[in-house]
Amino acid sequence: MIATTDEGADPTAAFQLHRPVLLGLAYRLLGSMWDAEDVVADAYEKWMRADHASVRSAQAFLITAVSRLAIDALTSARARREAYPGPWLPEPVATAELGPAESAELDDTLAYATLHLMERLSPPERAVVVLREAFAMPYDEIAGIVGVSAAACRQLQHRATSKLGDERRDGSPPDAAEHRVLLERFIAAARAGDLDGLTAMLRADVVAYNDGGGKARAARRPILGRENVIAFVLGLLGRFGLGPVSFVEINGQVGVETAMGGVGSVFALDVRDGRIASIFAVLNPDKLTRVAPRS
């Protein structure tokens, strides 16, 4: 649960106390820190116009405001994302910018693969999943935020779980050390053109997504299947080479910042049962400003 606050604090201080959590909430709902910051700024304006003497809980007011504003923003964003040039991927963000995470369950709602999967959900479904799983809210409280009954919230959660399907539960993810080792092995095998090594690391149904946003050259469709992904990766490296590699902290996991042919990129892996299930490469320069170096 979100920590309570000193309700006697002045309005600006009360908002600033909650801001990290609000930003993390909005990002989980939107998958974009740019959009999340806009939503939190709008919530601040709404908070400053409120009759604070009648507000029983600054926390509840702000969580409700951010959630509703994010639902509205996500509704309008869906049309833009459908017209996006190529696959739209979430903005990779340094974990520390996303508010406190108190358990592995909270981290899962920040995981890059989970955010990508949640693009399948309607805005109300996504809100219920985030509020329930990330912030452990009871359904009756979520109902007041989303504007439906508690029973309807349960149905939204069930429907969202069905939409996310088996991919979210398919196999166990590695711990942080194992994840980094696999990243290192993947990079080494790709640089060496090690076909057998790559084959052993990738699941047969692996998918590679590339987000150039029309601002960097990238595949306009997901690359499906192990053979196609290997051919794509080795073809890129054979043509452009791979620049220096830095490990970065994004979305609660280790990712890689590098460049190919002078084009910067950040990529992340979704790993299940020791094999790579998805590769996410973000090349859109607008989405590469919030990663953090990792030792």
Side-chain angles (χ1 to χ4, degrees):
M1 289 292 290
I2 304 167
T4 57
T5 184
D6 178 8
E7 304 299 346
D10 71 82
T12 299
F15 177 85
Q16 291 299 329
L17 184 64
H18 288 295
R19 189 178 185 279
V21 170
L22 299 175
L23 200 55
L25 168 61
Y27 173 75
R28 286 172 171 93
L29 290 171
L30 295 164
S32 163
M33 187 60 86
W34 293 104
D35 292 339
E37 288 181 332
D38 287 344
V39 160
V40 171
D42 289 345
Y44 174 71
E45 293 182 5
K46 187 173 183 178
W47 167 244
M48 295 305 291
R49 293 194 302 268
D51 177 8
H52 299 113
S54 67
V55 174
R56 297 180 61 184
S57 167
Q59 171 181 297
F61 180 99
L62 291 167
I63 290 295
T64 299
V66 166
S67 298
R68 290 176 176 171
L69 288 165
I71 289 171
D72 291 342
L74 187 57
T75 300
S76 61
R78 288 169 70 88
R80 297 195 305 272
R81 292 175 187 181
E82 288 174 0
Y84 194 79
W88 185 94
L89 292 177
E91 181 183 0
V93 176
T95 310
E97 292 192 38
L98 299 174
E102 299 170 1
S103 68
E105 287 75 16
L106 302 195
D107 285 341
D108 181 64
T109 65
L110 293 177
Y112 201 84
T114 300
L115 285 174
H116 178 252
L117 283 175
M118 284 200 294
E119 288 296 308
R120 300 177 180 180
L121 306 181
S122 70
E125 288 168 347
R126 188 163 181 166
V128 171
V129 168
V130 170
L131 292 170
R132 181 69 177 168
E133 298 187 11
F135 298 105
M137 279 192 174
Y139 284 115
D140 57 347
E141 291 184 21
I142 298 173
I145 293 172
V146 179
V148 298
S149 67
C153 284
R154 290 187 179 90
Q155 291 182 344
L156 286 170
Q157 174 81 11
H158 177 74
R159 191 186 316 163
T161 300
S162 297
K163 285 185 179 181
L164 295 178
D166 294 334
E167 290 180 55
R168 195 179 181 200
R169 304 181 298 272
D170 186 13
S172 57
D175 63 26
E178 293 169 339
H179 193 95
R180 174 158 178 164
V181 167
L182 190 58
L183 264 173
E184 293 171 339
R185 288 174 52 211
F186 176 75
I187 293 167
R191 275 181 162 159
D194 181 358
L195 184 61
D196 291 339
L198 290 172
T199 299
M201 277 183 271
L202 300 176
R203 288 171 48 136
D205 59 352
V206 64
V207 183
Y209 302 90
N210 295 263
D211 179 347
K215 299 185 177 183
R217 182 176 296 179
R220 290 297 184 98
R221 295 181 180 178
I223 312 300
L224 309 177
R226 183 161 52 207
E227 292 183 1
N228 291 332
V229 169
I230 290 174
F232 178 74
V233 170
L234 294 184
L236 280 179
L237 268 63
R239 183 176 180 182
F240 298 110
L242 187 67
V245 167
S246 300
F247 291 99
V248 291
E249 176 73 29
I250 55 170
N251 296 76
Q253 297 174 319
V254 183
V256 167
E257 186 174 31
T258 187
M260 285 188 289
V263 177
S265 66
V266 167
F267 74 84
L269 304 179
D270 180 32
V271 179
R272 300 287 164 176
D273 290 337
R275 289 196 171 190
I276 298 168
S278 302
I279 302 170
F280 305 101
V282 181
L283 298 90
N284 183 342
D286 293 341
K287 295 184 178 182
L288 300 180
T289 62
R290 299 177 188 270
V291 297
R294 185 183 178 95
S295 58

